[in-house]
Amino acid sequence: MKRIITAVVHNRSGVLNRVTGLLSKRQFNIESISVGRTETEGVSKMTFVVDVEDERKLEQFSKQLNKQIDVIKVSDITDKQIVARELAMIKVLTTPQQRGELQAIIEPFRATVIDVSKESMTVQITGNSDKVDAMIELLRPYGLKELARTGLTAFTRGQQLHQTEVKPYSILN
Amino acid sequence: MRASTEPKPAEDKQQTIKTGADLLVEALIEQKVETIFGYPGGAVLPIYDALYRADGSFDHVLPRHEQGGIHAAEGYARVSRKPGVVIGTSGPGATNLITGIADAMMDSLPLVIFTGQVAKNVIGTDAFQESDVMGITTPITKHNYQVQDLEELPRIVNEAFHIAATGRPGPVVVDIPKDISATVFERDVKNEFHLPGYQPTVRPNPLQINKLREALIGARKPVVLTGAGILHAGGTEALKSFVSNYDLPVTSTLLGLGAFPGDHHRFLGMAGMHGTYAANMALYECDLLINIGGRFDDRLTGNLQHFAPNARIAHIDIDPAEIGKNVPTEIPIVSDARKALDKLNELEPATLDHAEWVEKLESNKQNYPLWHNESEDVILPQYLLRKVHQFTDGEAVVTTDVGQHQMWAAQYYTFNRPDRWVTSGGLGTMGFGFPAAIGAQIADKDSTVVAIVGDGGFQMTMQEMSLLQERGLPVKIIIVNNQALGMVRQWQEKFYDKRYSHSIIDTQPDFVKMAEAYGLHGYKMENIQEIDRELGDILNNDKPAVIDCRVVQQENVYPMIAPGKGSHEMIGVSKP
Ligand SMILES: Cc1cc2nc3c(=O)[nH]c(=O)nc-3n(C[C@H](O)[C@H](O)[C@H](O)COP(=O)(O)OP(=O)(O)OC[C@H]3O[C@@H](n4cnc5c(N)ncnc54)[C@H](O)[C@@H]3O)c2cc1C
Ligand SMILES: Cc1ncc(C[n+]2csc(CCOP(=O)(O)OP(=O)(O)O)c2C)c(N)n1
């Protein structure tokens, strides 16, 4: 199952290395990681999309992360109301004649063209991963020359409607 | 503070000129460090210069190989429950420490390791004796630091000791670039620590404590498993009360030995791969398993599918990540073991309805005790270990290396007290036993310290005999000499049709002469008469000794749970 986990970390040197090393040592299947600074100085946030077999493996994932000295807080936000976005840039092969056609495809996705050359066009899209996947699939038949994705970043919405509790580590309470 | 590489004006030079290394020394004094296991080299020269200036502040132990030094620090930490402090130089000094760091990580031993590093401006250029200590040690440390700025040094040292010794103990590396230890600074810097992500849970949740108590009252077949966590917590007395409050049978992991008295009538012996029949069957048949401070290692559980199949599992551990990692757990208690036991002991004791079970375990104990062959002349290793127990009244600190002798020591040297048993469990590091004994003896000057080693493993770190010579430390080294890598030979006999591939070593140094070359007394014993006659005196005098005991090569460690088997599938339970 796919889960979105965030970790708030104390931004000291080595923390990224420690976290990613841990995930590979413990054989977690990571789909994406994104990292960046937060509103608080010295604190960064990592967002992981992981594919885990079961609850137990998921629990281990959070616990092992939590155990790191510089990790301040770990949350599984998959089942919460969240805003999640990633950015992708896609260089698609196009003849000048196809440009209009492509424009029509990307428009509903609110993607934008950020670079054009004789035989290609680069499109930028922001959104949740499903939306990004969907657009990429539509562009694929034209020939993808280059594709780069930032990985998902996410946080919970200001207001949680039907608050599905973030499953706490049962042992901590 | 102002850091500068220029000395201050001459007037107040004397009082104020200090380097980063002096800061380090001050921080170590503040931490009440008494002993340092260290080895000098280029990148730590400023630190060694500061140690020279601080002459008399520490007992500095100079091993003959960094690995010997760090295993000694582990022995020191295990016996004293204080962090072992290690210094090594950059590059090869640091890499020689790696085995010890990994060992301490696996066995949760508190160490603070300072490594020198090349100067900051050349880090990353493959400078002379540069190695990526942070990169190499990240997966095998509880935490690690590279000091980036002189100002951080006192805080980092402070944090390093705190992290190493609290919560689940473990090794912390502090990598110090040479220019930082050499920099002159002018005034005090702050050292309070800031660890927003580190707050170990040490107190149990009362709800879970109540749940455990209810489970106990409902249990018909309860058993307690003691792990090393109880020893880290200093929880032996609390454990004894808990056990007697409910009259519970007790078994132990390898590293938990000594947490509960080995001669207690409710003690079933060690469980696991080479555990007793009574202990393993208790794990297999119990309906409530209370694991206190053990991490359910695979050597203990055997095949997880057959592990405690009918039991409710309660697990007390200070590290939440250990709970539910290997064995699904119904009653998780994240806590320091002693604090959890204290809480349990505040509740009214109860008489359990478990007479039948206790009787059954008792009869298992009587009917299937540990057994070994008998001999009138040649030395059987099991006999040797029983004699070591007898001659030291079971009071010695016993360290071991890794292999058959280690298992025989666990089985036959009954431990009745905590913090007397020093062995490498998780990493299984050959070469650990003898240097660990040196650290143990330094930590506990008054006890008899016996290093039980194999002829194989002893040869990995035996250069540390120099330390016995230099300091007159009365460590007794007993070489259980089967002229083989015995544990490997046993597996080859059992699982590889006796194809003894590179496990029989009949070329050996003359260990007696080796001992003499280091100015130590060396003895060779080849029959039980010699053991009976001489070993007691040797173990009880105050001189170091190397005792080369020639034992029967073909002896195997039994019982045994073969790899992949369940804890009820032991082989070698009774005499063939
Ligand atoms: C040749 C060989 C054979 C072996 N055979 C066996 C065998 O037959 N049986 C066996 O059991 N082992 C055996 N081992 C050892 C095995 O590999 C493990 O090292 C051992 O089982 C671990 O014991 P442990 O869980 O008690 O200790 P550790 O691995 O040290 O774990 C300690 C646990 O206690 C927790 N803890 C720490 N401090 C506290 C505290 N204050 N309060 C509460 N919890 C705390 C830690 O978080 C950790 O989970 C063998 C090893 C070798 C080399
Ligand atoms: C550093 C290291 N290398 C290899 C091993 C694998 N190993 C485990 S036990 C053993 C044999 C040990 O032989 P010896 O020290 O003579 O002890 P014995 O088993 O004979 O008592 C070996 C090679 C190990 N545990 N550690």
Side-chain angles (χ1 to χ4, degrees), chain B residues 414-426:
Chain B
T414 310
F415 292 90
N416 295 324
R417 283 209 284 143
D419 307 328
R420 316 257 87 192
W421 169 234
V422 184
T423 195
S424 166

Side-chain angles (χ1 to χ4, degrees), chain B residues 188-205:
Chain B
D188 287 351
V189 290
K190 287 199 231 104
N191 68 0
E192 64 241 20
F193 56 74
H194 179 53
L195 295 168
Y198 181 67
Q199 277 118 17
T201 307
V202 293
R203 266 166 235 292
N205 176 330

